[in-house]
Structures are given as structure tokens and as C-alpha cells.
Amino acid sequence: MNYESSKRKRPGKQLIVVFTFIILLLIIVFFLFNFNFFETDKYVEVSKTGTDPLTADYDTYHLDDSRENQQIKYGFELFTNTAEYLGPDNPKLERAFSGNNLSCNNCHLQAGTKAYSGMLIGVINRFPQFRGRENKIGTIKERINGCMERSMNGKPLPPNGKEMKAFVAYLEWLNRYAPQDGKVDGTGYARIKIPNRAVDLEKGERLFLKKCASCHGEDGQGIPLRDYAGYLYPPLWGQDSYNLGAGMARVITAAEFIKTNMPYGASYDKPELTDEQAYDIAGYINQKPRPQKANPELDFPDLKLKPVSTPYPPYADNFPVSQHQLGPFQPIMEFYKKEYGLTKNK
């Protein structure tokens, strides 16, 4: 009788042992994965830095609607549809900070992610930075407002306003895979070999009509969007374009942009224009009338730091304004090297 009784109890004890073992195993597995025992710090770092900033996903559509992501999305909207939100004809006049109907995206292509088109990936890590135009170390907010006053021919955004915070949030989001120094292949514009001659305006006009007019119009006034403020292809001169104080108003800077981005579809790897062609087109465009920036004489307090192709005086040299606008630029560069020990490339 006792033998049979113990025999019946034994399976129950075995089940208890089995269940206890399973529970302990699950607890061990939980702690191993929850505290990343299978991952080393080195692996996490490699995974983070292994993402190529030039091929990362920068589509804001994939972001959820958290408060932080809503700010990033608003920054993206401001960047790509600037005229709709900040332009002179937007519904809220208190937001009319831009003086034209361009968008940031017209110069910083593909929402600031295209290489050698003023690409903004990593830009946050490059600020604060010294800029000769102001002759001081400036913040990213000051740089944004520089664009608002020059490329957008407008007025500065409030530094702590909703729009400025959204712009900065978007740039910080673009920055997430950039190296610590912010230096990413494709930053800025690609250098060109500057022709050792003045711009040929006749060649520039012929090339413009052949290569550029189909998008920007023979009159350079672009193609406006049908249902929204802004442009499908922006005007390159006239009252709705960038003003004389913008970087794009400098022939060498404009030529660098044109060489690797124009006509539409061109790239650093597959340019459609030669350096000389880009140079002549840039000179032709920038000889056309455009808005004047207020108080341009206050730019570059140290005149020696002024780029040689800045189209407005004063200068720290005696070369005529026409040569600063159209070249040849090599004699000006040689002067600064000899007189001030400064090497200038634009």
C-alpha cells in the first residue's frame, strides 16, 4: 500500500521540477537579452557609425507623430515649401520672413541631402564656426538667418521662435549619422578649375539658352507652381530671386554649384557641363538685375577676407568691380597671396 502511494506521488514531483527548471530558464533568457549580454559596447558603436550618411534614410514620412518628430517634419516643410509658410504671400503675414518665393530646397537640393549642392548633412557638427562675412564665430541660427536675409532676400527669424526651432530640429535630424567633425564627402560645392580669363557673356548666354532655359525660361524667371506658392524651377534673376549679398551671386560659387548640379539630373559623378561652360553660365546669370541687400558695405569687416568674386565693393585691393564680378580672378588671387599671404580659391 505504501509502495503504491509513493509511486503515485512521484510524477507530481517530477512535474514540479520540470516547471521550476523552465521558469528559471525563462528568467535567465530574459535577463540576458534585456541587459544586452550578447552585445558588446564595441558592436553597438560599429553599428551606429557603420551607416553611410550619404545613403541613410532621410524620408520624414517614416517618422511617427511624436512631439519631437512633428518639429522635424515642420522643419522639413519649411525647408521644402518655404514660400508657402514664410513667403511674402503666405496667409499669416506675421510669418512673412522671406522676401521672395524661393525655397531652401532650390539651392540645397534634395532637401539638403544631395552631395555638392550645399549639402547639410553634418552641418550641425560644424557649428559654431568662424565666418569672414561677419568676422566672428557664429551659431547655426545666425547662419540660417544669413540665408533668410540674402538668398531669401528677407529678414531674420526670431532666434527662439517656432520656425527657427523647427529648422534646427530638421538639421539635427540630418546630422544623426554624421561624424563628430561634421565632415562628410560631398559637403559644400565641388571645386572647379577657374578659367584664367574673364567670363565670356556671349558664350554664357548661348549656353544658358541651350542648357538652362527649358526649366528656368529664356527670361530666367523660372516656372511657378500652379496651386501653391513657390517654384517648380526657380527664377535666377529679377525681384523674386536671391539678392546681391547671397553666396550664389558670386561667379565662382555659382559656377561650382552649376557644374555638379545643372542641368537638372547632373551630379558630381555625371556632370553635363565643363568647368568653363559652368563659369560662363554663372557669369551670365549674375550680370542680370537682382535685389540689392541693405548695407552691403557692412559685410566682411576685415576686407582681406572677402572672396575675390564678391560682386560689390569695398575691397582691400584696387581691382575694378567689373573684374571682381567677371574675372579674370587669378591676378586678384595673386595679389592677396603676395600682399597679405592669403591663399584664396574663390
Side-chain angles (χ1 to χ4, degrees), residues 328-342:
F329 298 105
Q330 285 78 4
I332 307 176
M333 294 175 175
E334 290 166 6
F335 169 84
Y336 280 90
K337 180 67 174 177
K338 181 179 179 180
E339 190 73 17
Y340 303 114
L342 296 174

Side-chain angles (χ1 to χ4, degrees), residues 123-124 127-128 138-145 164 168 171:
V123 70
I124 286 287
F127 277 84
T139 66
I140 187 64
K141 291 182 179 180
E142 289 173 315
R143 183 68 186 93
I144 291 169
N145 273 335
M164 179 63 81
V168 173
L171 295 180

Side-chain angles (χ1 to χ4, degrees), residues 163-331:
E163 283 68 36
M164 179 63 81
K165 289 180 178 178
F167 271 124
V168 173
Y170 177 64
L171 295 180
E172 287 176 341
W173 184 70
L174 291 183
N175 192 67
R176 64 196 190 278
Y177 297 117
Q180 189 172 3
D181 62 6
K183 295 180 180 178
V184 181
D185 289 342
T187 297
Y189 304 114
R191 294 280 183 254
I192 66 166
K193 183 178 181 181
I194 303 167
N196 193 5
R197 60 171 176 81
V199 167
D200 188 323
L201 291 175
E202 291 184 0
K203 284 185 179 179
E205 181 178 19
R206 289 197 298 271
L207 285 164
F208 179 85
L209 294 174
K210 181 179 180 180
K211 298 287 188 178
C212 314
S214 60
C215 291
H216 297 285
E218 292 186 7
D219 60 356
Q221 297 310 292
I223 299 176
L225 294 171
R226 181 174 299 177
D227 300 318
Y228 303 95
Y231 291 90
L232 178 63
Y233 301 108
L236 301 180
W237 61 80
Q239 288 304 304
D240 216 27
S241 189
Y242 54 89
N243 69 36
L244 197 67
M248 205 61 73
R250 301 196 293 259
V251 166
I252 296 174
T253 299
E256 290 174 344
F257 174 85
I258 291 168
K259 170 65 188 295
T260 53
N261 295 288
M262 295 293 137
Y264 184 79
S267 66
Y268 175 76
D269 297 323
K270 296 181 179 179
E272 293 189 29
L273 299 169
T274 67
D275 292 352
E276 294 214 0
Q277 288 174 327
Y279 179 73
D280 288 331
I281 291 172
Y284 170 75
I285 289 170
N286 280 327
Q287 281 295 293
K288 296 295 185 177
R290 65 185 60 261
Q292 302 294 307
K293 182 188 179 295
N295 304 313
E297 70 280 358
L298 300 181
D299 287 353
F300 300 95
D302 184 350
L303 292 176
K304 297 190 299 296
L305 302 180
K306 208 168 192 176
V308 296
S309 59
T310 304
Y312 52 89
Y315 306 107
D317 59 67
N318 294 318
F319 292 91
V321 173
S322 59
Q323 189 164 347
H324 283 281
Q325 292 180 351
L326 294 169
F329 298 105
Q330 285 78 4

